[in-house]
Amino acid sequence: MEHVAEDHGDEIRLIKAPCNKDLKKELNNIKLPTNIEEFYAFPEKCGWEVTEKFELKPLKKSGRQRDIIFLLQAWLFFGLMNTVVQINGNPLAKPNKLLNSLYLSTKHLHENLSKWAEWQGKHQDGLRFRMVQAGWILDYARQVIRKTCAFTDGQVRYEVSKPNDKTALVLMCFGEALCQAKAGIMQTNKVETSGWHADDRAGWGPPRYVFEQMNPGDSPNGSLAWCPRTVQLLKGQLVSNATMLAAAYYAYKTARRDEDHQAAGCTAEKCLFRSMATDNNYRTRHLCNNPRTCRSIGPQQDEVLDVLRSEKNSIPLIKFSATPDNELDFKIIEFDLRSNESMDFVTISHVWSDGWGNEEANELNVCQLEFIKRQIKRATEDSRTPFWMDTLLVPVKKVGEKELKKKALGQIFDIFDASSHTIILDNGLSQMEMGDKPAETAMKILSSVWMRRLWTLQEAYLSRNIYIAFDERELVDSSVIGLDEIEKDLDIRIADSATSGIIRMIREQLSSIIMGEERRERNSNEQRRQNKKILREKAATVVANAWRAARWRTTSKAEHEVLALATLLNLEAREIEDAGLDEPLREGVPEDVNKLERLVQIFWEEYNRKYKNSIPSGMIFLPGEKLNIRGFGWAPRTWLSAHELDYPDPLSFGSRGTALYPGDGLRVSYPGFLLHPDSSSVRGKILGTTAKTDRQGNEEKFSFPVDRSLDEWYSFTRADDRNSGPLDRLKSEDARLAIILSRPRPREYPREIALLVEIYRTESPRTNDSSDETSDPNEVHYYCRIIHRIMIWRESNQGKTADEKMRFKYGNYKEPENTTVCLGEVLPSTQRWWVDGYVKGNVTERNSQEGSGRFALLSRTSTFLNWATGGS
């Protein structure tokens, strides 16, 4: 793990995987693979076979049966290096250079990969195919590692002794480094070939070793366990990348946080921790050693309320001052957000559960205020720079007036947008050293609690300059660092090294989770920032990137999600909160679900009203529960899914000419297959497909041909356990089934996300639809409802022989007793679908056209989306 420690801190060097004793003895004599043929044949020489599903199984008849750890280390560490990293057809590194005494070693990996990259760049002849060969080998190795060593569903397929979890982690990180080096070579030399390479960013994990370290029983130094929700979010956010997961753990493990998430009852689905006193009330945190003598103070509330009562769009700001006795004091400054004059001021972004809030008064402890004052000086070089913080300036219920509190909350977008600096307060980050490596610092920020909260997303996006406060005990003058500075340092590290692929991934993760590209575009042009406008066609991209960033975050109340997202997009949060909630609720459904679904519906109605035909079409493929409202069964109930991106990324295709009509759903254009089963029995098999296994342990799937030569076959399984459709009714012969593909003709690997749908109506194009570009009167539009999400792929070994084809023609394919078949009919990429879901229960339906008028957000123009789309 030395290659990881070079960028993420020396403590990672402590992860040492012992070399198998027999392998160490025989290393100089064993014949390691040096080409792709020898690589595929190597397991058999050790008494093992690799199945079509990449499972390792002992050979029944073999000579010497090697231990599985012997096989994994010899084949996927020494052998993988030997086969992939070559110069002029010869292995670059001697096997003994991958050993350090008794342990596997990557000490010289970066050096070797740099030499490899340099040689490849100087020998362009054959480079493209050499990279394809390397890709075949690496992807094969990754599949075996993930099948054998990955920690999924709480277990590892091969239960070896716990010390060998380190071997698994080392193999995963080693393989990821090789993949990233290959990707760097292709990018530098411009030999990327679409369709010929797997995703080199795909992780080789997740590793059990890292998650065991986060477990209460194995938590080091008696420290408290990580929040299960944080672990779940990290696992999804880092795409099972073992290197980044290990780096995240070691980056954040030193945080001296005292939250007991186990006692709080946190689960993988929800963090329930709040800063609590012994009486179970919210506790404002102390940073000093003498909390009994530390008092809480705040600004004069009459002055704050007077500013908020102003007819101007003014906000109150706080400026630190001192009393004659040299005690901390405040001065309230009024700033008109609509004024042409600018003012440098700081916004404070924090996490409520960290104890930086106050539910009783607009006050903080003196020790907290002194800390804020020091951070303001470090960020702006002047501790008297005015600042805004919600805890001090948004009136609490017992002090302020309700309408003034709503006004203050409604100004949040403009406040962060107008501020010159934003300082992030996170209890974990402020109690750990920054680190002297940019990747180490970045991983600490990525792993922080601040990065997990939904409201902080908008604050980060809107801010011009973001500063993060780290431990100030030792590095008093440099404990605050700017996010732009971190990203610049990462860029330098990427440019300096041919083996910095993981650094590039960290840079991309850090940027995407705070909508960094959008933030940089806003800040690159001051006039655009003031007008808040870019081209109209950017609307779908803005929403898509907001979803990507929001899915890893959490909020304390489900209904706050839509409010936060509306505020992020500068929609009128107050109107969204109040609109239509006094209408009858659906029977048997809790009020919060109705409230959330109604808010989501209003969100999309308002968005579509202002930015017609700009809803991202890929929304239909997203995971999770959908709205139980007619015409909106395509829309996810929540964006906070903590779900890895499916392949291909559904939101990477823009809007593709979407349209939203009352009762009919979302119109999209995607390729697909019509399914023609010849009986209800086959239809039942299609609907009953699961992503699990049958009694023999084989994966359940449904396969069908799409051409008369029977050469092109596809299979699919369920993508998750969620069912939308009435399966019993759909088994009837009247139900028409189809598959909506995310792109034409899926490949064998990786599997691709798609939808199994029921077509309930077909029509010609709408004659009054100005958004419909088609001029073909013979085109058919399919009106459908989502049954469930599926993963689909092209079969490589089904119906290939003449005998198999003949059996299918006889109606006797695969199972002699089963004389039923299903034919697939290919639909073009321009096929129009009107996508909806199934409405369940007694639903009070609402016409979405009426909704866009009656429930529209009337009082403000969406400044953010006007800027993002060029709207007026």
Side-chain angles (χ1 to χ4, degrees):
M1 295 289 286
E2 296 96 329
H3 74 289
V4 180
E6 289 180 25
D7 287 306
H8 299 284
D10 288 339
E11 192 171 2
I12 296 180
R13 297 181 191 273
L14 300 177
I15 304 175
K16 296 181 178 181
C19 182
N20 180 272
K21 293 180 179 180
D22 292 337
L23 177 59
K24 188 176 185 301
K25 292 177 183 178
E26 303 175 31
L27 188 58
N28 292 327
N29 299 319
I30 191 172
K31 179 65 170 68
L32 296 171
T34 59
N35 57 52
I36 190 169
E37 182 180 3
E38 293 176 355
F39 185 81
Y40 287 151
F42 189 82
E44 186 175 349
K45 294 181 180 180
C46 296
W48 294 81
E49 68 171 333
V50 181
T51 70
E52 290 182 355
K53 298 173 184 176
F54 304 103
E55 298 171 349
L56 284 173
K57 290 187 177 181
L59 287 172
K60 295 180 179 179
K61 294 181 180 181
S62 65
R64 185 177 179 184
Q65 177 74 53
R66 294 292 194 175
D67 177 83
I68 189 172
I69 298 302
F70 181 104
L71 171 66
L72 291 174
Q73 292 184 356
W75 184 36
L76 301 180
F77 186 71
F78 296 101
L80 190 60
M81 183 74 173
N82 226 40
T83 310
V84 173
V85 185
Q86 296 185 350
I87 288 181
N88 203 27
N90 298 311
L92 180 59
K94 299 290 185 182
N96 57 11
K97 290 295 185 180
L98 299 175
L99 276 179
N100 183 6
S101 183
L102 303 176
Y103 303 97
L104 305 183
S105 174
T106 59
K107 180 179 180 180
H108 303 290
L109 183 60
H110 280 160
E111 177 187 350
N112 288 326
L113 293 180
S114 295
K115 291 179 180 178
W116 182 49
E118 182 180 358
W119 185 89
Q120 296 289 355
K122 292 180 179 179
H123 296 78
Q124 293 288 322
D125 286 351
L127 175 58
R128 191 180 301 273
F129 186 65
R130 289 198 300 272
M131 291 299 101
V132 170
Q133 284 184 312
W136 283 332
I137 296 168
L138 289 170
D139 192 53
Y140 192 79
R142 184 177 73 91
Q143 294 297 336
V144 173
I145 287 290
R146 292 204 67 178
K147 184 68 71 173
T148 306
C149 304
F151 187 53
T152 55
D153 298 326
Q155 63 182 355
V156 175
R157 175 176 288 271
Y158 291 98
E159 284 295 336
V160 294
S161 60
K162 287 292 179 69
N164 284 316
D165 278 349
K166 293 183 179 180
T167 288
L169 177 60
V170 169
L171 294 179
M172 291 172 182
C173 294
F174 176 73
E176 288 167 357
L178 297 189
C179 281
Q180 289 302 311
K182 177 182 81 76
I185 292 171
M186 292 192 301
Q187 184 176 16
T188 301
N189 295 282
K190 297 180 173 56
V191 293
E192 297 164 299
T193 310
S194 177
W196 282 90
H197 295 274
D199 185 0
D200 286 312
R201 300 187 307 170
W204 286 46
R208 178 167 61 182
Y209 178 82
V210 171
F211 296 114
E212 288 289 330
Q213 298 303 301
M214 298 176 181
N215 188 290
D218 298 318
S219 195
N221 303 322
S223 59
L224 294 170
W226 285 42
C227 174
R229 179 60 175 170
T230 297
V231 174
Q232 181 72 9
L233 292 173
L234 276 176
K235 185 177 178 181
Q237 176 193 343
L238 301 182
V239 201
S240 299
N241 186 288
T243 306
M244 289 201 292
L245 284 167
Y249 169 70
Y250 279 95
Y252 208 66
K253 63 171 286 193
T254 57
R256 300 186 301 279
R257 303 182 68 91
D258 60 1
E259 299 98 330
D260 191 343
H261 291 273
Q262 189 174 19
C266 297
T267 66
E269 288 72 38
K270 192 170 186 179
C271 175
L272 301 174
F273 178 84
R274 294 179 76 234
S275 180
M276 293 290 185
T278 54
D279 59 359
N280 210 35
N281 291 321
Y282 182 85
R283 177 187 64 184
T284 302
R285 186 183 183 89
H286 279 279
L287 304 179
C288 59
N289 296 324
N290 299 305
R292 292 185 178 181
T293 60
C294 182
R295 61 193 180 97
S296 65
I297 60 174
Q300 290 291 328
Q301 284 303 299
D302 289 341
E303 297 181 21
V304 173
L305 296 176
D306 285 344
V307 173
L308 292 174
R309 290 191 186 102
S310 170
E311 293 183 1
K312 298 183 294 184
N313 190 26
S314 296
I315 60 170
L317 298 174
I318 297 174
K319 187 174 183 179
F320 281 118
S321 60
T323 67
D325 298 330
N326 206 32
E327 293 185 356
L328 195 66
D329 200 4
F330 309 99
K331 180 181 179 181
I332 294 296
I333 298 176
E334 180 177 353
F335 175 63
D336 185 358
L337 289 168
R338 295 174 182 170
S339 171
N340 293 326
E341 298 180 3
S342 62
M343 175 188 291
D344 285 348
F345 69 92
V346 174
T347 46
I348 304 296
S349 178
H350 65 96
V351 177
W352 192 263
S353 63
D354 269 357
W356 287 95
N358 191 329
E359 294 181 342
E360 301 297 323
N362 292 107
E363 297 178 350
L364 285 174
N365 296 317
V366 170
C367 58
Q368 292 178 303
L369 293 167
E370 293 284 4
F371 180 84
I372 291 173
K373 184 179 179 181
R374 292 194 295 272
Q375 310 318 311
I376 291 176
K377 182 176 182 180
R378 289 175 181 132
T380 69
E381 299 183 354
D382 187 355
S383 62
R384 294 172 299 175
T385 302
F387 74 97
W388 184 95
M389 185 178 184
D390 56 355
T391 305
L392 300 173
L393 294 172
V394 175
V396 297
K397 294 179 181 179
K398 293 186 178 181
V399 175
E401 301 176 13
K402 183 178 179 181
E403 290 304 314
L404 292 182
K405 180 177 181 178
K406 285 188 176 183
K407 180 181 179 180
L409 290 173
Q411 293 174 323
I412 288 178
F413 181 101
D414 294 327
I415 291 170
F416 277 87
D417 184 55
S419 68
S420 57
H421 302 73
T422 294
I423 297 176
I424 294 170
L425 304 182
D426 176 279
N427 285 352
L429 295 175
S430 64
Q431 297 181 63
M432 67 170 70
E433 293 183 5
M434 186 186 304
D436 56 359
K437 299 177 175 65
E440 182 183 3
T441 305
M443 287 308 305
K444 290 178 178 180
I445 297 170
L446 274 173
S447 308
S448 67
V449 173
W450 183 86
M451 277 288 191
R452 303 280 165 258
R453 299 304 185 191
L454 181 58
W455 285 102
T456 59
L457 171 60
Q458 59 150 348
E459 296 166 4
Y461 165 73
L462 295 170
S463 300
R464 298 170 187 258
N465 298 290
I466 301 173
Y467 294 86
I468 301 99
F470 283 89
D471 190 351
E472 63 179 359
R473 293 177 304 167
E474 298 181 8
L475 303 174
V476 176
D477 295 328
S478 57
S479 60
V480 169
I481 187 170
L483 183 64
D484 291 339
E485 180 182 346
I486 296 172
E487 292 185 330
K488 182 179 178 180
D489 290 342
L490 289 172
D491 288 337
I492 293 173
R493 176 71 179 87
I494 292 169
D496 285 346
S497 174
T499 61
S500 58
I502 298 295
I503 309 299
R504 184 179 291 105
M505 291 182 66
I506 292 172
R507 170 73 166 79
E508 292 171 357
Q509 284 284 346
L510 185 62
S511 178
S512 67
I513 202 169
I514 57 172
M515 297 178 68
E517 290 300 324
E518 287 76 18
R519 175 176 168 266
R520 278 185 289 276
E521 189 170 354
R522 292 182 79 243
N523 290 337
S524 64
N525 187 307
E526 185 62 29
Q527 183 176 358
R528 279 187 176 182
R529 184 182 177 92
Q530 291 176 0
N531 294 334
K532 301 178 176 65
K533 293 182 180 180
I534 57 174
L535 298 176
R536 181 181 180 86
E537 57 266 23
K538 288 277 188 174
T541 303
V542 171
V543 173
N545 288 335
W547 181 85
R548 291 188 185 100
R551 63 197 166 108
W552 306 116
R553 297 176 181 264
T554 60
T555 185
S556 57
K557 293 184 179 180
E559 58 267 26
H560 285 180
E561 176 188 341
V562 184
L563 302 180
L565 293 170
T567 306
L568 171 68
L569 301 176
N570 204 18
L571 300 177
E572 182 58 54
R574 180 176 59 188
E575 295 294 331
I576 291 178
E577 181 179 8
D578 294 341
L581 298 182
D582 55 349
E583 289 195 357
L585 300 177
R586 299 196 300 271
E587 295 181 3
V589 180
E591 180 175 342
D592 59 334
V593 175
N594 281 273
K595 183 177 182 180
L596 176 61
E597 292 202 352
R598 188 59 60 88
L599 290 174
V600 175
Q601 179 183 2
I602 295 169
F603 176 93
W604 286 117
E605 286 175 342
E606 172 62 9
Y607 176 86
N608 187 63
R609 185 181 70 84
K610 292 185 176 181
Y611 310 101
K612 196 173 181 62
N613 307 329
S614 295
I615 296 176
S617 57
M619 283 282 170
I620 65 174
F621 296 106
L622 297 183
E625 293 295 323
K626 309 294 184 181
L627 295 192
N628 192 28
I629 299 175
R630 185 183 175 192
F632 291 84
W634 53 269
R637 182 187 295 171
T638 177
W639 290 18
L640 313 184
S641 63
H643 192 281
E644 292 184 34
L645 281 175
D646 291 301
Y647 184 86
D649 178 0
L651 296 179
S652 62
F653 304 119
S655 62
R656 287 193 171 184
T658 55
L660 182 65
Y661 276 83
D664 290 332
L666 185 69
R667 189 197 70 197
V668 298
S669 296
Y670 280 107
F673 298 128
L674 292 179
L675 300 180
H676 299 286
D678 71 342
S679 69
S680 59
S681 173
V682 176
R683 189 175 289 105
K685 289 187 176 183
I686 294 173
L687 298 169
T689 300
T690 69
K692 299 180 180 178
T693 58
D694 60 20
R695 294 178 181 177
Q696 287 73 42
N698 299 313
E699 182 181 40
E700 287 281 0
K701 63 182 180 180
F702 187 86
S703 304
F704 58 95
V706 297
D707 70 328
R708 65 191 304 270
S709 66
L710 301 180
D711 287 330
E712 189 174 351
W713 287 74
Y714 292 89
S715 295
F716 66 86
T717 67
R718 287 265 296 280
D720 45 50
D721 293 331
R722 181 179 178 272
N723 263 329
S724 297
L727 299 185
D728 289 339
R729 180 187 66 77
L730 291 171
K731 290 179 183 179
S732 69
E733 294 188 11
D734 293 332
R736 297 186 64 189
L737 303 180
I739 292 173
I740 303 178
L741 300 172
S742 52
R743 66 179 182 183
R745 293 314 217 298
R747 302 187 180 99
E748 298 171 17
Y749 181 84
R751 299 177 178 186
E752 303 190 4
I753 191 65
L755 296 177
L756 179 65
V757 300
E758 176 199 10
I759 297 174
Y760 64 89
R761 189 169 90 237
T762 60
E763 281 187 5
S764 299
R766 297 172 182 267
T767 57
N768 61 344
D769 184 2
S770 60
S771 69
D772 197 342
E773 305 89 350
T774 182
S775 57
D776 184 1
N778 297 318
E779 181 184 15
V780 174
H781 286 200
Y782 292 119
Y783 292 73
C784 61
R785 299 186 180 100
I786 300 171
I787 300 172
H788 49 238
R789 301 190 327 137
I790 60 175
M791 302 303 296
I792 190 168
W793 67 97
R794 182 167 180 170
E795 281 288 357
S796 59
N797 58 355
Q798 187 145 5
K800 294 299 184 184
T801 69
D803 181 61
E804 287 177 319
K805 292 179 181 179
M806 190 58 66
R807 289 177 63 191
F808 185 86
K809 291 177 180 179
Y810 288 156
N812 218 5
Y813 185 72
K814 289 295 183 187
E815 300 177 11
E817 70 280 4
N818 186 353
T819 57
T820 55
V821 296
C822 178
L823 306 178
E825 180 181 345
V826 179
L827 297 173
S829 299
T830 55
Q831 178 61 53
R832 297 299 180 96
W833 309 83
W834 291 86
V835 182
D836 199 1
Y838 292 91
V839 175
K840 305 169 187 175
N842 184 13
V843 181
T844 302
E845 297 184 19
R846 182 156 68 89
N847 185 294
S848 61
Q849 277 189 332
E850 293 176 356
S852 63
R854 182 179 178 185
F855 298 98
L857 317 180
L858 301 176
S859 61
R860 288 174 68 184
T861 301
S862 173
T863 338
F864 170 85
L865 283 176
N866 278 334
W867 169 84
T869 61
S872 58

